[in-house]
Amino acid sequence: MVSSQNFEETFAAMLREADREALHLELRDFYGPPSRTFADWKAGVDYDPADRFASWVSLVREAVARGVAVRRARIVGTPVSEYTRYLHWTTSMNIGAGEQVRWLARRDAADLCLTGADFWLIDRSVVYWNHFSGDGVLGEVERDAREASAELARSAFEAAWARGVDHSEFKP
């Protein structure tokens, strides 16, 4: 297990080691605790998310430049939450960094076999399960190199990806 306090460093190292792909499946409608960037967005403060998340943008650009495909699938409730509208707005920085992002309404995922936790899958072999509290606070990140876990994560991600719509087509 990796604590959430160290996850930023751990994820940076993990993504830097990716050779082919990094897949991220998001299943929650809120990630907490509420951040300053979320509060500023709610207050109508004009800012560029790429500036606020510059280290993330740099990390993804570095991976993409090495040929790593970075894909993110978000499964969200509809009508969408205020936080999901915020995520949609900030996704411009993900796209600008080179990520591919798709969205899938939870009702359209009802018959998919998904995982019980968000995750990152690196190069089809290592899953990083993100364990959140009920309030959306990241508590732990579990590294899992079992082949069966990687296969499950890949299957869940690809099923959501296949049904999802490209960020540019998703209207919250």
Side-chain angles (χ1 to χ4, degrees), residues 44-168:
V45 174
D46 185 28
Y47 68 90
D48 182 351
D51 292 340
R52 299 273 181 108
F53 299 101
S55 61
W56 173 255
V57 169
S58 177
L59 185 62
V60 172
R61 283 184 178 154
E62 175 188 306
V64 171
R66 289 193 329 270
V68 176
V70 182
R71 294 190 290 154
R72 179 184 305 255
R74 289 180 166 146
I75 298 177
V76 296
T78 52
V80 299
S81 68
E82 180 179 48
Y83 191 83
T84 297
R85 287 193 305 276
Y86 159 75
L87 279 182
H88 189 269
W89 179 75
T90 63
T91 299
S92 62
M93 65 101 184
N94 300 84
I95 303 296
E99 281 189 57
Q100 300 170 57
V101 179
R102 289 193 181 172
W103 299 79
L104 180 60
R106 187 165 285 109
R107 70 172 175 262
D108 296 333
D111 63 340
L112 297 180
C113 184
L114 298 172
T115 59
D118 288 20
F119 63 82
W120 280 92
L121 175 62
I122 304 299
D123 289 340
R124 300 178 183 222
S125 60
V126 179
V127 182
Y128 287 84
W129 302 109
N130 299 321
H131 299 294
F132 292 89
S133 71
D135 293 333
V137 177
L138 180 60
E140 292 180 311
V141 178
E142 177 185 3
R143 184 180 191 281
D144 184 347
R146 295 175 296 172
E147 186 176 333
S149 295
E151 288 175 12
L152 171 66
R154 181 152 192 93
S155 174
F157 179 88
E158 293 299 350
W161 186 262
R163 285 202 190 161
V165 297
D166 187 72
H167 173 72
S168 62

Side-chain angles (χ1 to χ4, degrees), residues 3-23:
S3 74
S4 61
Q5 292 81 20
N6 300 347
F7 184 64
E8 197 169 312
E9 295 171 15
T10 301
F11 183 75
M14 173 184 67
L15 193 55
R16 286 188 177 113
E17 293 173 10
D19 292 322
R20 297 178 305 273
E21 67 182 356
L23 308 179

Side-chain angles (χ1 to χ4, degrees), residues 25-53:
L25 183 63
E26 295 180 357
L27 302 165
R28 301 182 59 86
D29 288 316
F30 177 77
Y31 294 89
S35 66
R36 177 72 184 170
T37 56
F38 180 48
D40 285 350
W41 174 82
K42 283 175 52 171
V45 174
D46 185 28
Y47 68 90
D48 182 351
D51 292 340
R52 299 273 181 108
F53 299 101

